[in-house]
């Protein structure tokens, strides 16, 4: 599904809220939010409300990529996903004259559990791939454009690809340092009349 405009708010340590609009300037048709423990969502067209405890699990199937709320927040601010690993190796298959350095995140007895690509000249994140314990790809994130806002280098375009599809975030405007309250990240159920 394509939404013309999505407004999002994020805060440490990985809280997010999205409002998806079907037309520019129109009311939201779907809102979702997550914090460290809960995922909540509201379909504004039919009043359907969702609430699930997520903890360390991925966001429920409202987006086509199996990603944790904190990892999605991290990507939106230019940080790699959090992956538990025991060792880091530089991928020897990448040529030295390549624009990127690829880091292999490895677990003892499991092999590679993640690949992080950074631009050689700036050290900025360019891509991340997260693998499950069997080496199967959970998702890939690619940052294809960066922008400088109030002295911060932030992604302007992110494409997430998972087993169920893909999602592209094309960031038009950002206000770093905006003040938000914690209750913003949990959507309240609709009021019954």
């Amino acid at each position: 599904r394509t939404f013309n405009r999505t407004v999002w708010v994020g805060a440490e340590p990985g809280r997010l809220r999205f409002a998806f609009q079907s037309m520019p300037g129109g009311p939201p048709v779907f809102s979702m939010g997550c914090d460290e423990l809960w995922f909540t969502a509201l379909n504004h067209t039919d009043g359907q409300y969702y609430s699930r405890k997520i903890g360390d699990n991925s966001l429920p199937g409202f987006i086509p990529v199996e990603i944790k709320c904190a990892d999605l927040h991290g990507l939106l601010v230019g940080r790699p996903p959090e992956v538990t690993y025991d060792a880091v190796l530089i991928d020897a298959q990448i040529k030295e004259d390549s624009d990127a350095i690829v880091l292999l995140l490895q677990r003892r007895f499991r092999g590679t559990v993640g690949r992080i690509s950074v631009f050689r000249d700036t050290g900025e994140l360019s891509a991340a791939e997260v693998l499950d314990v069997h080496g199967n790809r959970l998702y890939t994130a690619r940052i294809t454009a960066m922008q400088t806002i109030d002295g911060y280098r932030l992604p302007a375009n992110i494409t997430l690809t998972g087993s169920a599809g893909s999602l592209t975030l094309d960031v038009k405007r950002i206000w770093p340092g905006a003040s938000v309250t914690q209750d913003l990240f949990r959507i309240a159920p609709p009021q019954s009349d």
Side-chain angles (χ1 to χ4, degrees):
R1 182 152 186 200
T2 300
F3 292 100
N4 288 324
R5 187 173 183 184
T6 303
V7 179
W8 66 273
V9 177
E12 291 295 338
R15 298 182 298 239
L16 285 172
R17 173 143 180 184
F18 288 90
F20 299 93
Q21 299 172 311
S22 61
M23 64 177 65
V29 293
F30 187 79
S31 296
M32 68 181 212
C34 53
D35 58 19
E36 299 86 347
L37 298 175
W38 290 93
F39 169 85
T40 52
L42 177 63
N43 185 334
H44 297 277
T45 56
D46 63 9
Q48 193 80 359
Y49 179 74
Y50 308 90
S51 178
R52 293 195 184 119
K53 194 168 186 173
I54 58 171
D56 290 335
N57 297 320
S58 299
L59 290 172
F62 292 101
I63 61 174
V65 179
E66 194 174 321
I67 188 170
K68 296 176 189 174
C69 184
D71 289 347
L72 182 55
H73 175 266
L75 288 167
L76 287 164
V77 297
R79 293 188 202 129
E82 290 184 24
V83 176
T84 302
Y85 61 91
D86 298 315
V88 178
L89 301 174
I90 294 179
D91 190 342
Q93 296 180 11
I94 304 299
K95 296 180 180 174
E96 286 190 31
D97 61 351
S98 171
D99 290 343
I101 297 171
V102 178
L103 305 173
L104 303 177
L105 308 179
Q106 298 192 325
R107 292 284 309 264
R108 195 175 6 263
F109 309 118
R110 292 186 183 171
T112 300
V113 291
R115 289 183 182 88
I116 305 295
S117 298
V118 296
F119 288 111
R120 189 177 296 274
D121 58 342
T122 64
E124 293 173 345
L125 180 67
S126 65
E129 182 179 30
V130 177
L131 309 170
D132 67 13
V133 295
H134 305 290
N136 301 315
R137 183 179 60 177
L138 292 175
Y139 68 86
T140 300
R142 296 203 185 288
I143 298 174
T144 56
M146 296 289 285
Q147 57 188 330
T148 302
I149 308 286
D150 293 343
Y152 295 98
R153 291 286 294 160
L154 299 167
N157 186 283
I158 303 170
T159 299
L160 298 166
T161 305
S163 60
S166 64
L167 173 70
T168 299
L169 301 167
D170 188 23
V171 180
K172 297 295 184 193
R173 288 181 280 188
I174 297 177
W175 293 275
S179 177
V180 294
T181 59
Q182 186 163 340
D183 62 339
L184 179 69
F185 303 101
R186 282 202 194 165
I187 297 168
Q191 298 292 328
S192 57
D193 296 329

